Amino acid sequence: MHMPANEAPKKKRIRNPLVTRQRIIDTAIDEFTERGFDGARIDAIAEQSQTNKSLIYKYFNSKEELYIASLSDTYEKLRASQHEIELDDLDPIESVRRLTESTFDTFAKNPRIVRMLTHENVQNARFLKQAVSIKSLYTPLLNKLDQIIRKGQEKGLFRSNVNLKHLYISISALGYFYFSNIHTLSIVLEEDLSSDQTVARQREQAVEMVLSYLRK
């Protein structure tokens, strides 16, 4: 049997499990950040990810498991942005500057991270408590931050009484709070806080606030 001249042979679609799984997670993050956990629908995730419910449940046993995977992916992207910057060969002040800038930029460039973290906080971290692997992501960062602070203290640049965890909270808060409240703050302060110029000014102020705290 000959194929008509104007009919091209159909190529068999090869499914890559890792790519498919990540596509489901990316779509799920959009759904969860838009509607929250309770409002998110697996049917919508299946449609938008061009899969089906059976395939989603093949990769993830439940909606809860898919949400936890989405939450883990969010934290991994946040940590990856901080891990990518090279800090070892820099002086302590420049290291802190780059870490603060990188953290701020991550929230600026990834609104989905901001929304995902906000949703999870509304739920009192009910799912984060189950994602044990996320906690381990912060150990290398805190160890690196500890080295930077100690180096600055040895050089007489930084104060002696620095609590690493609270320092990291402050670094994160200066970016997260700005972008999680950017719309409401823009209205009450009567200024477009999303403009490039204003974001750049806030970014620099975040760096200066952290360094001002650390300096002796």
Side-chain angles (χ1 to χ4, degrees), residues 79-200:
R79 274 293 296 113
S81 67
Q82 296 166 327
H83 181 71
E84 287 169 359
I85 55 176
E86 183 56 55
L87 302 175
D88 291 330
D89 298 327
L90 302 175
D91 70 85
I93 291 178
E94 183 61 24
S95 293
V96 171
R97 171 177 289 278
R98 290 202 185 182
L99 179 60
T100 305
E101 289 175 342
S102 174
T103 303
F104 187 92
D105 290 345
T106 298
F107 291 123
K109 297 174 183 177
N110 299 278
R112 295 199 315 172
I113 290 179
V114 175
R115 291 197 296 268
M116 196 73 179
L117 297 185
T118 300
H119 277 298
E120 183 61 9
N121 275 289
V122 168
Q123 299 182 99
N124 297 315
R126 71 185 257 211
F127 293 105
L128 185 60
K129 296 171 185 175
Q130 304 175 49
V132 181
S133 62
I134 292 178
K135 298 177 184 178
S136 64
L137 294 173
Y138 283 81
T139 302
L141 174 62
L142 290 176
N143 288 341
K144 177 65 68 176
L145 189 56
D146 181 52
Q147 293 174 17
I148 294 170
I149 299 305
R150 287 179 182 275
K151 188 175 180 181
Q153 290 169 337
E154 291 169 359
K155 291 189 173 185
L157 300 172
F158 295 159
R159 59 193 295 174
S160 59
N161 56 332
V162 177
N163 184 298
L164 288 177
K165 292 181 180 179
H166 284 283
L167 174 61
Y168 178 73
I169 289 171
S170 297
I171 292 173
S172 295
L174 288 167
Y176 174 77
F177 181 86
Y178 186 83
F179 292 102
S180 64
N181 294 275
I182 194 168
H183 302 296
T184 53
L185 288 173
S186 292
I187 292 174
V188 298
L189 297 178
E190 298 181 327
E191 182 178 357
D192 180 12
L193 299 181
S194 64
S195 70
D196 292 343
Q197 182 179 9
T198 307
V199 170

